């Protein structure tokens, strides 16, 4: 299979290394300012998916350099880059090319399908954690569940999705197909919205947030407000009641990731923009459209943006 990975950060490096190690033709698309880091085209991973090294088939800064007929494009950029990246890759999305979104937050699927059409877009829920050790090298630090892929509107055949899942599994990327991928993605939005910004603001791990009554109260209200918005917006969730979700959250989700620090924490430390607008910020936007009060999500969003601006260097 000919696969293009868009974004060679932690997640993109893991996908590219694993898929190339299993014999696929793999290419990378990154920003011009990062090209010099990848001159030898060698990528490496370590950690929970094992130690692997692979020399991918090409790394480009522009889609004009790509002459291959691609089977699959995996988008692993930050949510704030989704619109520009989808428009960038549109010229190389051929008749048989599918685009898989491996991203956090709300709005990526809506943006991609508005440009490419739903018959081209696969949604995924990725819930393993990785960090960049240096450009081209990533460490997988935590795995909470399989990668889940699907097409929320059944616009891509299940047979094709199963084929892609098999390629991922054979490459050491645990993956399964689900028709409920959109609701499952919202499970991750709940998880990330509760943990990521608060962990970045307080500069602590997920487990530390869960240990203290004060932070638990804040996270509980974040989740309750998201459930209120989802109900009004008729967004399907896998949980009927926010209290049921919170029990699952504290008992099943946080413990295996207790030592993990949020990606927003690392973004802030590196002076980068965060994905707050695709998480709590997206909840605030959805809430305003239907006049639902979400004061805790709004406060967290404002605090996160303030911290982002104070530390922003790039």
């Amino acid at each position: 299979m000919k696969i293009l990975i868009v974004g060679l950060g932690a997640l993109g490096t893991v996908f590219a290394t694993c898929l190339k190690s299993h014999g696929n033709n793999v290419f990378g698309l990154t920003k011009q300012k990062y090209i010099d880091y990848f001159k030898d085209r060698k990528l490496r991973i370590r950690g929970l998916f094992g130690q692997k090294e692979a020399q991918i088939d090409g790394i480009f800064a522009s889609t004009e350099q790509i002459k291959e007929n691609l089977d699959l494009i995996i988008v692993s950029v930050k949510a704030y880059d989704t619109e520009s990246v989808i428009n960038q890759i549109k010229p190389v999305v051929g008749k048989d090319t599918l685009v898989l979104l491996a991203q956090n937050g709300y709005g990526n699927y809506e943006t991609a399908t508005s440009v490419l059409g739903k018959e081209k877009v696969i949604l995924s829920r990725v819930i393993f954690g990785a960090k960049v050790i240096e450009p081209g090298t990533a460490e997988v630090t935590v795995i909470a569940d399989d990668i889940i892929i699907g097409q929320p509107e059944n616009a891509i055949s299940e047979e094709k999705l199963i084929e892609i899942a098999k390629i991922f599994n054979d490459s050491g990327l645990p993956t399964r197909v689900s028709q409920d991928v959109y609701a499952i993605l919202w499970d991750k939005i709940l998880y990330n919205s509760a943990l990521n910004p608060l962990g970045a603001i307080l500069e602590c791990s997920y487990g530390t947030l869960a240990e203290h009554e004060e932070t638990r109260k804040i996270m509980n209200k974040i989740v309750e407000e998201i459930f209120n918005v989802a109900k009004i917006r008729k967004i399907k969730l896998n949980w009927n009641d926010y209290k049921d979700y919170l029990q699952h959250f504290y008992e099943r989700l946080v413990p295996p990731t207790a030592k993990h620090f949020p990606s927003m924490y690392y973004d802030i430390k590196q002076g980068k923009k965060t994905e707050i607008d695709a998480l709590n910020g997206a909840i605030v936007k959805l809430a305003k459209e239907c006049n639902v009060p979400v004061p805790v999500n709004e406060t967290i969003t404002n605090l996160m943006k303030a911290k982002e601006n104070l530390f922003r260097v790039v």
Side-chain angles (χ1 to χ4, degrees):
M1 183 172 268
K2 292 182 179 179
I3 303 169
L4 175 67
I5 311 294
V6 185
L8 291 174
L11 201 64
T13 297
V14 173
F15 273 107
T17 305
C18 289
L19 289 164
K20 181 59 187 176
S21 294
H22 192 64
N24 295 283
N25 295 120
V26 178
F27 307 89
L29 183 68
T30 189
K31 294 178 180 179
Q32 181 64 50
K33 63 182 179 180
Y34 300 133
I35 281 290
D36 286 345
Y37 291 122
F38 300 104
K39 284 183 178 178
D40 62 2
R41 296 182 279 113
K42 286 184 180 178
L43 302 178
R44 302 165 186 84
I45 67 165
R46 67 192 195 198
L48 297 178
F49 285 174
Q51 191 162 328
K52 299 179 183 180
E53 179 177 319
Q55 185 174 43
I56 63 175
D57 299 283
I59 298 179
F60 311 109
S62 169
T63 54
E64 293 177 1
Q65 300 169 288
I66 300 171
K67 308 302 179 185
E68 304 290 335
N69 293 319
L70 300 167
D71 299 301
L72 181 67
I73 300 174
I74 299 174
V75 176
S76 63
V77 301
K78 297 288 190 179
Y80 50 75
D81 282 331
T82 298
E83 185 175 3
S84 61
V85 159
I86 293 299
N87 282 292
Q88 183 184 12
I89 66 172
K90 186 178 179 182
V92 294
V93 177
K95 184 172 81 70
D96 297 318
T97 309
L98 294 174
V99 176
L100 186 146
L101 305 178
Q103 299 172 278
N104 281 334
Y106 172 81
N108 299 304
Y109 175 77
E110 289 74 12
T111 297
T113 53
S114 70
V115 175
L116 303 174
K118 61 187 178 182
E119 69 282 354
K120 288 292 183 184
V121 180
I122 301 169
L123 187 60
S124 76
R125 191 287 312 268
V126 178
I127 202 164
F128 68 81
K131 62 181 180 180
V132 174
I133 305 303
E134 61 183 16
T137 302
E139 180 178 2
V140 180
T141 57
V142 64
I143 306 169
D145 195 5
D146 293 348
I147 299 165
I148 295 176
I149 67 172
Q151 213 305 315
E153 299 169 88
N154 298 315
I156 297 170
S157 72
E158 186 176 19
E159 181 182 22
K160 187 65 181 177
L161 295 171
I162 290 171
E163 178 190 342
I164 292 168
K166 184 179 187 305
I167 289 168
F168 281 19
N169 280 304
D170 290 346
S171 301
L173 297 162
T175 304
R176 67 182 189 268
V177 176
S178 175
Q179 293 182 338
D180 295 324
V181 65
Y182 195 79
I184 293 168
L185 180 67
W186 268 93
D187 284 351
K188 190 182 180 189
I189 292 172
L190 285 160
Y191 174 85
N192 281 339
S193 295
L195 292 164
N196 267 16
L198 200 55
I201 291 165
L202 297 177
E203 301 187 358
C204 64
S205 69
Y206 292 169
T208 300
L209 292 175
E211 286 172 7
H212 295 277
E213 182 182 357
E214 295 82 2
T215 45
R216 285 173 74 106
K217 284 181 178 179
I218 295 170
M219 292 191 293
N220 293 353
K221 289 303 293 185
I222 287 171
V223 168
E224 182 181 358
E225 289 177 1
I226 295 173
F227 267 78
N228 292 340
V229 172
K231 182 177 180 180
I232 297 296
R233 301 286 306 216
K234 295 187 165 115
I235 295 169
K236 180 187 174 185
L237 301 178
N238 282 322
W239 308 87
N240 292 324
D241 183 87
Y242 80 92
K243 292 179 181 177
D244 291 337
Y245 173 78
L246 285 171
Q247 183 177 351
H248 177 73
F249 174 76
Y250 289 117
E251 293 180 2
R252 301 292 297 278
L253 299 182
V254 174
T257 60
K259 295 180 181 179
H260 190 69
F261 278 67
S263 58
M264 284 187 187
Y265 167 83
Y266 296 108
D267 289 338
I268 291 293
K269 288 296 184 184
Q270 295 169 28
K272 294 181 178 180
K273 187 176 180 179
T274 72
E275 293 184 297
I276 190 66
D277 283 331
L279 294 170
N280 307 74
I283 300 305
V284 172
K285 184 178 179 182
L286 290 170
K288 285 183 177 177
E289 291 171 358
C290 55
N291 295 315
V292 176
V294 287
V296 178
N297 277 277
E298 189 165 4
T299 299
I300 287 291
T301 300
N302 289 333
L303 285 171
M304 194 67 239
K305 287 190 172 185
K307 185 154 189 172
E308 181 183 299
N309 289 333
L310 287 169
F311 286 84
R312 185 84 184 272
V313 295
V314 293

